[in-house]
Every structure is written in C-alpha cells, then in structure tokens.
C-alpha cells in the first residue's frame, strides 16, 4: 500500500512538472515577442532550455532576430548552453539573419560566440550580399575580415557576387569586386554575375561586372 501511494505521488509530481514546463514554454516565447529580457532570464534561472524551438522550428535566438527583440536576443546569447548554430527548417542560422538585415552588433556578437562564417551551402556572405540596406557593405567587410570565403558556392553554385548583382546594393557589388570576387564564375545553370544583374534589369551593374572580367583577362601576355 505504501509503495502504491509513493508511485501515485511520483506520477502526480511528474504531471505537475510537465504542466509547469508547458506553461514555461508559452512564457518563453511570449517573453521573446514582448522583448522581455527579465522574463527570459527568470526562466533560464529555473533551468529552462534556451535552445527550445517554437512550433515552426525556430529557436528563440532566430525568433528574437526576426522580431527585432534585441533585449531578448541579448539575454539568450548570454545563456549557458546556448547553441548559436542551430538553424530553422530552411537552414538559416542566426548569423545569416543578422547578415541580410544588416545587424552589425548582432553579427559581431555571434561571431565572438563562434558562429560559423563559412557554413556549407548558403552562407552568411550570400545573405549579406543579398541585403538592400545602406549598411550591407560594412556587413560584407565584417564577414570577409572574419575569413568568409568570397566566392563561396551555394547548393546551385551561385556566389555572393551573383546575389549582390541581382538583389543587393551597387556598393556591395563594388566592394566584392574590389576585394577580389571572381566575376567570371558561373553557377550550375551557366549564369554569371553579369547575367544575374541583367535578369534584374540592372544594366549598369552588369557593365561594371563585365569591365571587371576584362580587367582580369590577359592583355598581350600580361595581367
């Protein structure tokens, strides 16, 4: 009888714990939406896992960036056991999101926590090159300073220069060319960066890339 009472008591405690953590789960993501660093810190002190994902497979770090909840992001980044390379179902890391949005301070903080600058497939540099904000060249420079591979190939062979040519800023294109991006490379569809620019009806960008190709070609036996 005593053993049965003990087992019943333990089961009740387990159910209570599950219910408590279910409430904590909701509180965690509510705190991120509200940019409530204190609420997040309180949950972390109770042992809540900072790498918990929401129903869409997004970690708190990723969701905080998407919502621009920077206080919540800062609290999570300081959490013991935080994993900055956990990605969403689309394969995007927090550094990739920071790169395309031009969040310089966030990118620096992530890199200091060993975020992968040269992840396989689409890289943070591809995302930085695709961004349209005025600060994107600075983001590209930051990644290059931290050894980002300038001609990284995406799964279909597209390079950061190609992304900048079609989607990014003209200053981003210029910076990548000045830093040595190869304008003659082709992706798996046979498209060059100039072709990407022409698809976006950016003739001036295509002309600048074509000029860079000519500068790299031998001229009477000399480079």
């Amino acid at each position: 009888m005593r053993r049965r009472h003990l087992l019943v008591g333990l089961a009740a405690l387990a159910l209570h714990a599950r219910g408590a953590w279910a409430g904590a789960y909701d509180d965690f993501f509510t705190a991120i939406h509200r940019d409530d660093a204190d609420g997040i810190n309180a949950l972390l002190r109770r042992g809540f896992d900072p790498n918990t994902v929401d129903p869409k497979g997004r970690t708190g770090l990723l969701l905080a960036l998407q919502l621009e909840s920077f206080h919540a992001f800062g609290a999570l980044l300081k959490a013991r056991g935080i994993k900055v390379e956990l990605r969403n179902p689309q394969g995007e890391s927090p550094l990739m999101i920071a790169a395309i949005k031009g969040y310089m301070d966030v990118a620096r903080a992530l890199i200091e926590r060993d975020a992968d600058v040269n992840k396989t497939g689409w890289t943070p540099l591809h995302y930085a090159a695709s961004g349209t904000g005025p600060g994107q060249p600075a983001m590209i420079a930051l990644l290059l300073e931290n050894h980002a591979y300038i001609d990284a190939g995406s799964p279909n062979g597209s390079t950061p220069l190609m992304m900048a040519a079609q989607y990014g800023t003209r200053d981003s294109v210029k910076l990548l060319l000045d830093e040595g991006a190869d304008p003659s490379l082709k992706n798996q569809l046979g498209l060059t960066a100039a072709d990407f620019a022409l698809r976006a009806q950016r003739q001036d960008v295509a002309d600048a890339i074509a000029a860079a190709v000519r500068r790299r070609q031998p001229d009477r036996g000399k480079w």
Side-chain angles (χ1 to χ4, degrees), residues 22-83:
Y25 180 91
D26 293 336
D27 292 343
F28 179 71
F29 288 104
T30 296
I32 292 172
H33 277 271
R34 293 178 177 174
D35 200 15
D36 179 7
D38 290 339
I40 289 172
N41 284 328
L43 287 166
L44 295 177
R45 284 193 296 271
R46 289 165 50 195
F48 192 82
D49 183 358
N51 302 302
T52 299
V53 299
D54 72 1
K56 294 183 179 180
R58 299 172 296 185
T59 65
L61 273 179
L62 281 163
L63 182 60
L65 286 182
Q66 291 173 342
L67 296 174
E68 298 186 350
S69 294
F70 295 119
H71 293 104
F73 176 86
L76 288 167
L77 193 60
K78 295 176 183 176
R80 181 179 300 176
I82 192 68
K83 297 177 181 178

Side-chain angles (χ1 to χ4, degrees), residues 94-143:
L95 183 56
M96 293 169 74
I97 301 301
I100 198 169
K101 289 180 174 288
Y103 298 153
M104 289 292 294
D105 290 342
V106 169
R108 289 192 189 97
L110 287 166
I111 291 170
E112 287 175 2
R113 294 296 297 267
D114 295 323
D116 191 353
V117 174
N118 286 308
K119 65 180 286 293
T120 302
W122 294 103
T123 69
L125 189 59
H126 284 99
Y127 272 50
S130 301
T132 59
Q136 292 308 119
M139 180 64 73
I140 290 171
L142 174 67
L143 294 170

